[in-house]
Amino acid sequence: MNTSSSLSNWRRENEWLRKLRPVKDILKLLQDARQSLNSPVGSGQADPVDSNETLANAIGIHIRMMPPDAEIEEVHDAVAEYGESGAQTIQQYREASRMEAFLPFLKHIVSSSSEKVQFYVASDWRLAPSALKKELPDVQIGWIPRHCDDRGADCLKIAMADVLALSQTKLLLGSAWSSYTELAHRYGGQKLLIAGSDFNSTFFPNNINSSNIPSNSKRRKHQTFSKPHS
């Protein structure tokens, strides 16, 4: 959503967001996100290298696929909560941004790239990154492991760190109708492609090609969020 008024606009809002400093707990998780991309493929062990460039070399992926009654404890019936039309709309967008909608494009990126490909994955389903890794076993994929799929404090901390991690990637592949994808894009400002619109499993690859993928040599400078909020 692009806002514009005499009081604010998209650019000014984003500039304000980027001035916010993460607290120490979030910074530690963000470091875990960086380290997850420093490990040898398939080893499960991170090298002790503190590199702010790691995420800048990666492609960020946000997979938004869980229905409201599965992810929000207080929502037991999506139709009762949002109405029939609203529930159908939510389900439509969730289906368009399932992991399966990303996979053909990710395979295309890997097969057509002359450079090492790295993906950083954030998802509302905690098993999505490991499931994606099974599909792409030879590709470096980073993520923050978690044991929750709810909106409790522990999960929200990881979600915030994931937003900052996604914002530091060179390209963002996001989910439609998702304020989470929007927030990561507002922080980062990198090129954004949306599942179900710019690519998906039904009409891929007719309207997308490898020229949309920024090379590592052309990546922009990213925020590193090195100073915690005092």
Side-chain angles (χ1 to χ4, degrees):
M1 182 177 69
N2 199 338
T3 59
S4 182
S5 73
S6 60
L7 300 177
S8 184
N9 57 50
W10 177 269
R11 179 184 58 80
R12 290 173 60 188
E13 290 170 359
N14 294 348
E15 288 175 352
W16 180 85
L17 276 172
R18 292 164 188 163
K19 291 178 182 178
L20 299 176
R21 300 293 95 184
V23 298
K24 290 181 179 179
D25 285 353
I26 306 302
L27 284 175
K28 172 60 172 65
L29 288 167
L30 182 57
Q31 180 60 22
D32 291 344
R34 294 190 183 114
Q35 294 289 357
S36 72
L37 284 169
N38 284 329
S39 61
V41 174
S43 73
Q45 300 294 321
D47 292 336
V49 177
D50 183 4
S51 173
N52 290 329
E53 292 298 308
T54 303
L55 285 164
N57 291 335
I59 294 171
I61 303 169
H62 173 225
I63 300 173
R64 182 79 162 94
M65 57 186 288
M66 291 183 67
D69 50 3
E71 67 164 344
I72 305 175
E73 186 175 353
E74 293 78 12
V75 176
H76 303 289
D77 185 340
V79 174
E81 187 73 21
Y82 302 105
E84 185 174 353
S85 177
Q88 288 178 349
T89 300
I90 292 172
Q91 185 62 25
Q92 175 187 344
Y93 282 108
R94 294 294 181 269
E95 288 295 326
S97 56
R98 293 183 62 83
M99 187 190 77
E100 293 84 354
F102 286 80
L103 196 54
F105 187 39
L106 301 185
K107 289 181 177 180
H108 172 68
I109 291 172
V110 173
S111 64
S112 63
S113 177
S114 60
E115 300 177 328
K116 176 184 178 182
V117 175
Q118 292 181 311
F119 296 127
Y120 183 82
V121 183
S123 176
D124 55 353
W125 181 40
R126 70 181 185 277
L127 299 181
S130 56
L132 197 60
K133 182 65 179 175
K134 290 180 179 179
E135 296 288 343
L136 300 168
D138 298 323
V139 178
Q140 189 77 55
I141 298 177
W143 72 91
I144 303 175
R146 70 179 196 267
H147 302 287
C148 55
D149 272 333
D150 55 36
R151 299 194 179 189
D154 290 342
C155 253
L156 289 178
K157 288 180 180 180
I158 295 174
M160 187 68 245
D162 273 337
V163 161
L164 299 180
L166 290 174
S167 77
Q168 294 181 22
T169 59
K170 65 179 181 178
L171 169 70
L172 180 57
L173 308 181
S175 295
W177 228 44
S178 170
S179 56
Y180 192 92
T181 283
E182 180 183 336
L183 180 58
H185 180 53
R186 279 176 174 265
Y187 264 114
Q190 71 274 65
K191 186 179 182 67
L192 171 65
L193 300 176
I194 297 293
S197 176
D198 296 310
F199 66 92
N200 71 15
S201 58
T202 58
F203 60 84
F204 169 83
N206 295 329
N207 68 335
I208 208 73
N209 57 64
S210 57
S211 66
N212 285 293
I213 311 304
S215 67
N216 292 343
S217 62
K218 294 181 180 180
R219 64 183 182 273
R220 58 183 184 78
K221 186 177 181 180
H222 295 264
Q223 290 179 288
T224 59
F225 299 105
S226 58
K227 294 181 180 180
H229 189 340
S230 59

